[in-house]
C-alpha cells in the first residue's frame, strides 16, 4: 500500500488572541515613541494584556514558516568505416555508433546516408552503422535499452519523454510532418472516418486526428499496427493508411491506384517529425559524441538537399530499396520543403512548439495533466554545450557499475524500505535520476538499522551516504556534497507540554532520539545535561512520548509529521522548532575524490522542475500555528509579572517584528513585489527581483505611475474597475500582461492587497506577482492554429459556452457565421498543397482584419472551414458586414480556374439572434451550417442568413 504525502495543517488562533495582537501591534510602537518612563505608567494599566500577548508572541516565534519541486528487410548494417574514405583526423580509433531508422531505406533518411558517404561521420571520429528497420520495432525501446545509440522516431516520442523515458532530443529532420492518411474515398468531414480501419505507426498527428474523428463519429475507429507494406492499402485490407506525402502518393500514382489524401494539418494536428533521439545516459556521459553526430548529420542533410540526384544514385546502389530511382527522385523533390523551412536552421527544435505538441497529447489522453505540467522541454532538448564529466570520471563510471548506498530503512519521507522491500522516498527518487543520468546502479541497504549503517560507513563497507547531515563526526570519514534537502529540527510532545524555545529548557525532561541520528549527536555533544532515551526508529520515539517514557522526541519536522500520519499517532504535536536545520547532503568516502565530483555534478544537473516534482510527491508543508487553551492559561500567570518584565517583552516583540519584516522581505523578493500609493497610483517601493524583471532601475520605478508597467492590451475601464475594488479594501487577483523597459512583453499572475494606515484608511497597496510567461506561451500555442494564426477548434469549444452565458446574462444578440472556401479541394489538386496553405493564410488575414474588435472571435475549424462569433447592433449591419467580407475575399483575385468565378470565393451561412435560455451552441451551429449548405446550393459566393 503506497504511503501518501503528509500535510501540516493550520490551526486557528482564538478570537480573543486575535484582538489582543491587534492592540499590541498598535500599542508598542506608541510606547516606544513615549519613552521608557511614560511607557511604565501606561503599562501599569494594561500590563496583563500586554504580558499575555507578549508570551503568545514568544510561543509563536517557534512557528514553522512555509518550506520553499512495405516488406521487412534483413538487418543490414551500413558502416561509415566501410563507405567513407576520409580517415579520422586524430588518427585514433573511431567510436562505434549504431543508428536505427524507423522505416524502409529511402530518401527520407538522405541526410544520414550523405553524412556516411561523404565521410562526415568518420571525420567526426565516428564509425556509424545504419540499422535496417523491421515491422514492430520500437525505436524508443531500442535506444533506452542500449541496443542502438541513436534512433529516428515520430512526434510521439514527446509522449514517451513525458511518461519518463530517459531520452534526449538531438534534432528534428523535418520541421513539419509529411505524415498523412491515404483513403480510398474522398473525406470531407471527420465523421466519415467513423468505424474505419486505419493502419498507422502511432504518429502523434494521426492519433490526434483519430481522437478528433472519434469525437464526432458514431462508431470507434479501428487502429491497426503498421506493417510497412503498401499492398495492405492497395488490396483494401484497410480503409486508410498512414503514409508520408513525400513517398507513397507517388508510388500509388505510378501503379495507377486511385487514392485521396487526408492531411492532419488541415484539422489542426501539427508536429515536427523524424526526431533523432539518444539516451539521457549517453547525452550526459558522452556529449561530445552526441554533438559530433548531430553536426555531421546536419552537414549530411545540407549535402543531400544540394545533390539529390547523387544521393538517389547512392541510395539505390548501397541500400535494399524497394522503389525505383524515379520514385526516389520524386521523394527527394517533395522532401526539401520539410527539411529546410525558410530561414530556420536544419534540425532546429523549439521548446514552445514541443509544448504545443505535448498539449495535443494531453488533450487526447496520451499523457496526464500532471505529466504535462511537470514537462521541461529545455531539459528534453540536447544541449550542444554539454561536457560535464572528465575522462577520469567517465573511466571511473565504467569501472564501477554498482555503488553501495548507506541509507536509512526507516526514515520516511526521505528514505525507507517499503512493503515490497524497495528503496523509496525523496532520496530514492533522486538516486533513480542519477542512475538514468550516469548509467550505473546504486545498491541500497535493506535490512540494517541506521546505527549499523553508520558503522559500515566508518569501515568503508558502503560508498556513500544517500541522505545525511554533514556532522563533525561524519566529516572525519566522509566528504559531503551541497545539501539537496533542507528541513528544520523540531520537537514533538504531548498536549500538556509547553512550547520549547531552546535546548537548555530540555534539561528538565527526558528526550527521545534515534541512535546515531544528527539530533542524537547534537544533544549528546552540546547539551550533555539533557536526559536521552535512545530508540531505533522514529516510530519508537513517538510512541515513547505517548506512553510517557519521554517528554519529547527530537528529529526532522518532515519526518515527525509523516510518521505521525502514517502510524495514526494522535495526541502528538509540534512543541518546538529550532534554528538548526537538517541540511541533507550526499556523503562520499573521504578518499574517493572522483566519485564525490561525479555525484556533485549529477546533483547540480537535477533541474528545479525535477526537484519540485519529488518534493510535491512526498511533502506538503503549511504554516504550523498551534496553541491550546491550556497553554493560554499557562501564559496568564507570567503576564502578571512586574512592569520591567513587560519592557523586556517589548524588546522581544521588536525583535520579532524585525525578523518578520526580514522574512516578508524575502517573500517579496520571490514574488516580484511593489508597493503602490493608492492616492497617486504611483510606485513607492519595489523589490530587487521586480527591478530585474521590469528592466527599470529602482530609481526609475519610484514615483512611476503604476499603469506604465502594463501593456497596451489593458483597457482603461478595466484599470478603473480594479482600482475601485482595491480602494474599497478588497484584494484583486488576475493575469496581467506587462511590458519591460525595452518593450518586451511578459505575463504575471498579479495579486493586489490593500493596506490600512493607522486611521484605518486604505492608502497603500502591495502588488505581488508570479511570472507565468511560459505558461501563457504554451496556452497560446494550444489554442492557435499554426498555419493561419487564428484560434483553433479546441478554443472554440471553450469560448462558445462562455459567450453564450454572457449573452444570456446581458440579454444581447450574438452573431455566428460559418464560412467555407468554395471548391478548395480543386485548388489543392490543381495548384498543390503549398499553394493551398498560402490561400488559407490570405483568407485568414481578411477575416482577422474584418473582425478585430474585443468581442470578435475568428476560428479555423478545420480544412477550409472558418467560424466567426461576433455581436452587432442590428441584423442589417451584420449582413452588410458579411457581404463586405465576400467582396474582400473575391477581390484577392486568387486564381481558381475550376470555379465558375475563376477566382477564389467564399460561401457563408450566418445566424443572428437574441440568445434565450433554451438556445445552445449545438443548435446555433446547426442553423448556421444549414445556411452555409443553402449558400452553396445557390451557386456559391453567397451569403445566407437566418
Amino acid at each position: 500500500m503506497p504511503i501518501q504525502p503528509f500535510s501540516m495543517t493550520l490551526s486557528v488562533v482564538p478570537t480573543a488572541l486575535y484582538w489582543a495582537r491587534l492592540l499590541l501591534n498598535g500599542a508598542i510602537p506608541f510606547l516606544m515613541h513615549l519613552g521608557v518612563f511614560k511607557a511604565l505608567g501606561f503599562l501599569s494599566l494594561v500590563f496583563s494584556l500586554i504580558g499575555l500577548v507578549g508570551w503568545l508572541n514568544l510561543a509563536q516565534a517557534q512557528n514553522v514558516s512555509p518550506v520553499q519541486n512495405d516488406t521487412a528487410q534483413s538487418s543490414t548494417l551500413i558502416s561509415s568505416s566501410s563507405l567513407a574514405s576520409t580517415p579520422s583526423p586524430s588518427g585514433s580509433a573511431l567510436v562505434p555508433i549504431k543508428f536505427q531508422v524507423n522505416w524502409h531505406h529511402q530518401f527520407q533518411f538522405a541526410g544520414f546516408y550523405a553524412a556516411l558517404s561523404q565521410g562526415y561521420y568518420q571525420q567526426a571520429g565516428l564509425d556509424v552503422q545504419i540499422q535496417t528497420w523491421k515491422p514492430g520495432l520500437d525505436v524508443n525501446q531500442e535506444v533506452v535499452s542500449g541496443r542502438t545509440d541513436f534512433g529516428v522516431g515520430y512526434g510521439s516520442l514527446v509522449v514517451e519523454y513525458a511518461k519518463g523515458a530517459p531520452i534526449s532530443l538531438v534534432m528534428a529532420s523535418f520541421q513539419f510532418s509529411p505524415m498523412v492518411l491515404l483513403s480510398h474515398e474522398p473525406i470531407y468531414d471527420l465523421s466519415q472516418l467513423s468505424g474505419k480501419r486505419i493502419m498507422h505507426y502511432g504518429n502523434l498527428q494521426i492519433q490526434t486526428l483519430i481522437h478528433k474523428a472519434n469525437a464526432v463519429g458514431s462508431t470507434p475507429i479501428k487502429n491497426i499496427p503498421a506493417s510497412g507494406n503498401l499492398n495492405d492499402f492497395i488490396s483494401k485490407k484497410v480503409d486508410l493508411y498512414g503514409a508520408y506525402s513525400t513517398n507513397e502518393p507517388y508510388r500509388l500514382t505510378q501503379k495507377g491506384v486511385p487514392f485521396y489524401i487526408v492531411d492532419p494539418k488541415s484539422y489542426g494536428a501539427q508536429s515536427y517529425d523524424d526526431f533523432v533521439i539518444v539516451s539521457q545516459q549517453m547525452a550526459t556521459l558522452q556529449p561530445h559524441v552526441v554533438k559530433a553526430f548531430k553536426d555531421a548529420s546536419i552537414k549530411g542533410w545540407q549535402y543531400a538537399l544540394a545533390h539529390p540526384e547523387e544521393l538517389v544514385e547512392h541510395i539505390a546502389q548501397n541500400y535494399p530499396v524497394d522503389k525505383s530511382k524515379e520514385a526516389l527522385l520524386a521523394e527527394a523533390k517533395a522532401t526539401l520543403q520539410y527539411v529546410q523551412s525558410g530561414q530556420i536552421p536544419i534540425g532546429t527544435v523549439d521548446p514552445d512548439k514541443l509544448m504545443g505538441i505535448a498539449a495535443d497529447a494531453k488533450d487526447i489522453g496520451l499523457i496526464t495533466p500532471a505529466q504535462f505540467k511537470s514537462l521541461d522541454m529545455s531539459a528534453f532538448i540536447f544541449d550542444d554545450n554539454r561536457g560535464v564529466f572528465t575522462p577520469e570520471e567517465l573511466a571511473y563510471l565504467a569501472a564501477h557499475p554498482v555503488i553501495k548506498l548507506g541509507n536509512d530503512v526507516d526514515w520516511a519521507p526521505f528514505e525507507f524500505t517499503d512493503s515490497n522491500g524497495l528503496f523509496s522516498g525523496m532520496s530514492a527518487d533522486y538516486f533513480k535520476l542519477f542512475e538514468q543520468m550516469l548509467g550505473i546502479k546504486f545498491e541500497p541497504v535493506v535490512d540494517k538499522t541506521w546505527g549499523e549503517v553508520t558503522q559500515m560507513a566508518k569501515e568503508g563497507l558502503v560508498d556513500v551516504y544517500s541522505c545525511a547531515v554533514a556532522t563533525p563526526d561524519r566529516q572525519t570519514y566522509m566528504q559531503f556534497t551541497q545539501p539537496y534537502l533542507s528541513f528544520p529540527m523540531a520537537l514533538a510532545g504531548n498536549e500538556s507540554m509547553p512550547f520549547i524555545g531552546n535546548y537548555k529548557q530540555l534539561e528538565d525532561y527526558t528526550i527521545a532520539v534515534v541512535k546515531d541520528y544528527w539530533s542524537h549527536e547534537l544533544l549528546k555533544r552540546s547539551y550533555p545535561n539533557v536526559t536521552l532515551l535512545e530508540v531505533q526508529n522514529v516510530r519508537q520515539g513517538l510512541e515513547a512520548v505517548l506512553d510517557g517514557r519521554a517528554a519529547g522526541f527530537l528529529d526532522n519536522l518532515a519526518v515527525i509529521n509523516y510518521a505521525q500520519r502514517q502510524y495514526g499517532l494522535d495526541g502528538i504535536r509540534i512543541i518546538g522548532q529550532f534554528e538548526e536545520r537538517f541540511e541533507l547532503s550526499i556523503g562520499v568516502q573521504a578518499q574517493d575524490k572522483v566519485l564525490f565530483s561525479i555525484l556533485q555534478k549529477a546533483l547540480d544537473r537535477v533541474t528545479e522542475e525535477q526537484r519540485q516534482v519529488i518534493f510535491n510527491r512526498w511533502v506538503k508543508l503549511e504554516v504550523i500555528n498551534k496553541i491550546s487553551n491550556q497553554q493560554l492559561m499557562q501564559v496568564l500567570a507570567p503576564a502578571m509579572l512586574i512592569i520591567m518584565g513587560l519592557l523586556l517583552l517589548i524588546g522581544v516583540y521588536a525583535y520579532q517584528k524585525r525578523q518578520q519584516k526580514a522574512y516578508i522581505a524575502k517573500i517579496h523578493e520571490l514574488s516580484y513585489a511593489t508597493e503602490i500609493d493608492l492616492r497617486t497610483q504611483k510606485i513607492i517601493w519595489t523589490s530587487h527581483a521586480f527591478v530585474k524583471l521590469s528592466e527599470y532601475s529602482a530609481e526609475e520605478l519610484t514615483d512611476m505611475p503604476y499603469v506604465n508597467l502594463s501593456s497596451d492590451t489593458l483597457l482603461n475601464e478595466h484599470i478603473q474597475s480594479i482600482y475601485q475594488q482595491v480602494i474599497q479594501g478588497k484584494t484583486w487577483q488576475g493575469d496581467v500582461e506587462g511590458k519591460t523597459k525595452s518593450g518586451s512583453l511578459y505575463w504575471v499572475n498579479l495579486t493586489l492587497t490593500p493596506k490600512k494606515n493607522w486611521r484605518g484608511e486604505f492608502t497603500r497597496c502591495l502588488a505581488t506577482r508570479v511570472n507565468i510567461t511560459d505558461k501563457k506561451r504554451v496556452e497560446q500555442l494550444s489554442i492557435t492554429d499554426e498555419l493561419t494564426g487564428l484560434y483553433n477548434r479546441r478554443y472554440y469549444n471553450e469560448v462558445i459556452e462562455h459567450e453564450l452565458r454572457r449573452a444570456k446574462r446581458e440579454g444581447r444578440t450574438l452573431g455566428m457565421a460559418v464560412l467555407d472556401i468554395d471548391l478548395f479541394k480543386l485548388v489543392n489538386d490543381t495548384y498543390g498543397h503549398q499553394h493551398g496553405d498560402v490561400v488559407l493564410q490570405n483568407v485568414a488575414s481578411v477575416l482577422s482584419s474584418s473582425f478585430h474588435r474585443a468581442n470578435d472571435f475568428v476560428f479555423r475549424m478545420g480544412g477550409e472551414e472558418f467560424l466567426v462569433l461576433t455581436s452587432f447592433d442590428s441584423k442589417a449591419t451584420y449582413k452588410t458586414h458579411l457581404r463586405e467580407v465576400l467582396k474582400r475575399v473575391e477581390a484577392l483575385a486568387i486564381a481558381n480556374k475550376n470555379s465558375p468565378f475563376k477566382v477564389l470565393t467564399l460561401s457563408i451561412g450566418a445566424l443572428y439572434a437574441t440568445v434565450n435560455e433554451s438556445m445552445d451552441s449545438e443548435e446555433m451551429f446547426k442553423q448556421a451550417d444549414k445556411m452555409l449548405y443553402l449558400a452553396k446550393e445557390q451557386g456559391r459566393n453567397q451569403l445566407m442568413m437566418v
Side-chain angles (χ1 to χ4, degrees), residues 892-912:
L892 292 173
I894 299 173
N896 186 1
K897 64 182 183 181
N898 297 298
S899 166
F901 305 98
K902 302 306 178 184
V903 295
L904 192 82
T905 57
L906 284 181
S907 292
I908 303 177
L911 167 73
Y912 182 86

Side-chain angles (χ1 to χ4, degrees), residues 70-292:
D70 297 349
T71 304
Q73 305 290 342
S74 61
S75 299
T76 307
L77 297 179
I78 309 299
S79 168
S80 59
S81 59
S82 63
L83 286 180
S85 58
T86 307
S88 171
S90 63
S92 59
L94 302 177
V95 177
I97 294 294
K98 292 180 180 178
F99 176 54
Q100 180 65 62
V101 295
N102 64 333
W103 198 249
H104 303 301
H105 291 292
Q106 55 186 18
F107 199 87
Q108 175 184 349
F109 311 110
F112 309 108
Y113 304 141
L116 206 59
S117 65
Q118 297 304 307
Y120 300 150
Y121 287 138
Q122 193 173 32
Q123 291 169 24
L126 309 177
D127 179 12
V128 176
Q129 295 178 333
I130 299 180
Q131 303 183 118
T132 298
W133 175 82
K134 292 182 291 187
L137 183 143
D138 186 325
V139 173
N140 176 60
Q141 286 302 315
E142 293 298 298
V143 170
V144 170
S145 67
R147 289 189 291 270
T148 192
D149 300 300
F150 295 86
V152 177
Y154 299 115
S156 52
L157 286 169
V158 171
V159 174
E160 300 298 333
Y161 173 72
K163 290 180 176 179
I167 54 177
S168 185
L169 177 56
V170 181
M171 60 180 284
S173 297
F174 295 159
Q175 288 300 302
F176 56 103
S177 177
M179 181 64 72
V180 297
L181 287 176
L182 304 178
S183 172
H184 298 294
E185 61 185 27
I187 302 296
Y188 300 111
D189 187 272
L190 289 181
S191 61
Q192 292 179 255
L193 300 183
S194 178
K196 299 291 188 183
R197 299 162 299 166
I198 301 182
M199 176 177 281
H200 61 97
Y201 195 60
N203 178 279
L204 186 56
Q205 283 184 285
I206 301 300
Q207 292 191 67
T208 302
L209 183 67
I210 290 173
H211 176 76
K212 292 172 179 284
N214 277 330
V216 297
S218 57
T219 306
I221 290 169
K222 299 173 183 177
N223 294 279
I224 301 175
S227 66
N229 190 345
L230 188 57
N231 286 324
D232 286 339
F233 176 74
I234 297 172
S235 62
K236 297 189 177 181
K237 288 183 179 179
V238 294
D239 301 304
L240 294 101
Y241 183 88
Y244 267 16
S245 59
T246 56
N247 184 28
E248 285 82 1
Y250 176 85
R251 297 174 61 191
L252 292 175
T253 300
Q254 294 301 107
K255 293 176 180 287
V257 177
F259 66 92
Y260 299 87
I261 290 178
V262 181
D263 192 340
K265 292 189 290 296
S266 298
Y267 297 90
Q270 308 197 45
S271 172
Y272 290 110
D273 221 328
D274 276 24
F275 284 158
V276 177
I277 60 168
V278 69
S279 68
Q280 286 183 354
Q281 177 184 338
M282 188 168 183
T284 300
L285 301 182
Q286 302 182 67
H288 57 290
V289 173
V290 178
K291 186 176 188 306

Side-chain angles (χ1 to χ4, degrees), residues 21 23 70 99 120 194 212 330 437 486 517 630 735 782 799 856 909 926:
R21 176 166 290 175
L23 177 59
D70 297 349
F99 176 54
Y120 300 150
S194 178
K212 292 172 179 284
M437 191 185 302
S486 177
Y517 274 20
Q630 182 179 1
D735 295 348
S782 69
V799 169
D856 290 340
K926 284 181 179 179

Side-chain angles (χ1 to χ4, degrees), residues 409-644:
V409 299
D410 193 10
W411 203 42
F414 297 109
E415 51 184 18
F416 61 96
T417 301
D418 67 14
S419 58
N420 296 316
L422 299 177
F423 182 38
S424 300
M426 300 177 76
S427 173
D429 285 354
Y430 274 88
F431 278 86
K432 288 173 187 175
L433 292 176
F434 299 157
E435 286 183 338
Q436 293 178 354
M437 191 185 302
L438 303 175
I440 59 177
K441 291 293 181 182
F442 291 93
E443 185 178 279
V445 169
V446 295
D447 58 357
K448 305 288 184 185
T449 66
W450 178 249
E452 292 171 323
V453 169
T454 57
Q455 187 60 38
M456 292 172 66
K458 292 176 181 178
E459 297 173 3
L461 299 179
V462 294
D463 300 308
V464 302
Y465 277 142
S466 54
C467 182
V469 176
T471 67
D473 178 59
R474 294 169 187 167
Q475 287 177 321
T476 62
Y477 58 93
M478 285 278 189
Q479 53 190 325
F480 288 84
T481 66
Q482 293 296 314
Y484 67 100
L485 294 169
S486 177
F487 289 84
M489 180 83 79
L491 184 69
N494 57 42
E495 296 288 349
S496 64
M497 283 287 288
F499 275 95
I500 301 297
N502 59 74
Y503 295 111
K504 293 289 290 182
Q505 292 176 256
L506 299 178
E507 293 182 357
D508 296 330
Y509 302 100
T510 296
I511 302 301
V513 289
V514 178
K515 188 177 186 304
D516 293 324
Y517 274 20
W518 178 46
S519 51
H520 181 200
E521 185 177 327
L522 173 68
L523 292 183
K524 185 171 64 173
R525 183 186 72 247
S526 302
Y527 301 94
N529 294 329
V530 178
T531 303
L532 300 181
L533 174 65
E534 296 180 5
V535 296
Q536 294 300 313
N537 54 52
V538 176
R539 182 173 185 173
Q540 289 181 11
L542 294 174
E543 288 175 342
V545 173
L546 288 175
D547 62 27
R549 287 179 293 129
F553 172 66
L554 189 67
D555 206 308
N556 186 303
L557 172 65
V559 170
I560 292 172
N561 194 268
Y562 195 99
Q564 183 182 358
R565 291 177 178 276
Q566 179 186 355
Y567 301 123
L569 302 176
D570 296 327
I572 291 178
R573 60 189 182 81
I574 302 299
I575 59 172
Q577 183 233 318
F578 308 96
E579 292 183 1
E580 290 82 2
R581 298 181 67 86
F582 280 75
E583 303 288 355
L584 301 171
S585 307
I586 299 171
V588 182
Q589 291 289 343
Q591 72 279 6
D592 202 339
K593 306 297 183 184
V594 179
L595 180 58
F596 176 80
S597 176
I598 289 171
L599 290 178
Q600 182 62 66
K601 289 179 178 180
L603 193 56
D604 292 341
R605 293 190 62 76
V606 179
T607 66
E608 190 58 40
E609 289 77 11
Q610 290 171 321
R611 292 175 186 267
Q612 196 62 49
V613 167
I614 293 173
F615 184 90
N616 292 340
R617 182 180 298 140
W618 296 101
V619 178
K620 182 181 179 183
L621 287 176
E622 297 175 5
V623 178
I624 298 173
N625 191 352
K626 293 189 175 180
I627 182 166
S628 65
N629 290 331
Q630 182 179 1
Q631 287 178 286
L632 182 58
M633 295 302 298
Q634 290 173 343
V635 299
L636 283 176
M640 303 302 174
L641 295 176
I642 62 173
I643 297 175
M644 291 302 295

Side-chain angles (χ1 to χ4, degrees), residues 821-822 824 827 831 835-844 846 888-899 901-905:
I821 301 177
D822 296 328
F824 182 70
V827 173
Y831 304 102
H835 178 78
D837 288 349
V838 174
V839 168
L840 289 169
Q841 290 168 338
N842 286 335
V843 172
V846 169
R888 290 188 61 189
V889 171
E890 188 174 6
L892 292 173
I894 299 173
N896 186 1
K897 64 182 183 181
N898 297 298
S899 166
F901 305 98
K902 302 306 178 184
V903 295
L904 192 82
T905 57

Side-chain angles (χ1 to χ4, degrees), residues 672-858:
Y672 305 102
T674 53
E675 195 166 359
I676 305 162
D677 186 326
L678 289 176
R679 293 166 296 188
T680 64
Q681 299 185 43
K682 292 183 178 180
I683 297 170
I684 55 178
W685 172 86
T686 185
S687 67
H688 296 298
F690 187 70
V691 167
K692 186 175 181 180
L693 176 67
S694 68
E695 300 177 359
Y696 291 99
S697 67
E699 292 75 17
E700 289 174 319
L701 287 169
T702 302
D703 287 335
M704 177 185 289
Y706 182 69
V707 294
N708 289 11
L709 296 171
S710 64
S711 71
D712 298 335
T713 59
L714 191 60
L715 302 178
N716 187 60
E717 310 91 81
H718 193 194
I719 295 172
Q720 290 305 313
S721 174
I722 296 172
Y723 177 72
Q724 290 301 320
Q725 181 172 328
V726 173
I727 62 173
Q728 293 173 21
K730 300 175 183 177
T731 297
W732 182 89
Q733 184 177 39
D735 295 348
V736 176
E737 187 177 41
K739 181 170 61 177
T740 67
K741 183 178 181 180
S742 64
S744 300
L745 299 177
Y746 60 89
W747 279 90
V748 294
N749 180 260
L750 173 67
T751 300
L752 298 175
T753 306
K755 300 173 68 175
K756 289 182 179 179
N757 62 11
W758 66 275
R759 290 182 295 186
E761 300 169 337
F762 293 104
T763 58
R764 292 181 300 162
C765 172
L766 180 66
T768 57
R769 305 163 184 81
V770 177
N771 194 333
I772 58 170
T773 304
D774 291 340
K775 175 187 174 183
K776 283 292 183 179
R777 286 173 178 167
V778 171
E779 288 178 356
Q780 192 62 31
L781 281 171
S782 69
I783 65 173
T784 304
D785 175 66
E786 186 174 357
L787 178 64
T788 63
L790 301 177
Y791 292 129
N792 58 24
R793 187 161 194 154
R794 181 192 300 116
Y795 192 51
Y796 164 77
N797 293 333
E798 297 178 14
V799 169
I800 181 61
E801 299 303 331
H802 177 271
E803 289 300 299
L804 262 178
R805 288 194 298 270
R806 188 167 74 166
K808 289 175 182 179
R809 185 171 63 249
E810 299 175 0
R812 63 178 176 84
T813 60
L814 189 64
M816 176 184 286
V818 182
L819 309 91
D820 194 89
I821 301 177
D822 296 328
L823 304 170
F824 182 70
K825 185 178 185 304
L826 297 178
V827 173
N828 277 333
D829 293 346
T830 304
Y831 304 102
H833 285 275
Q834 278 190 294
H835 178 78
D837 288 349
V838 174
V839 168
L840 289 169
Q841 290 168 338
N842 286 335
V843 172
S845 178
V846 169
L847 297 179
S848 296
S849 60
S850 298
F851 298 95
H852 59 273
R853 299 172 303 170
N855 60 341
D856 290 340
F857 297 90
V858 185

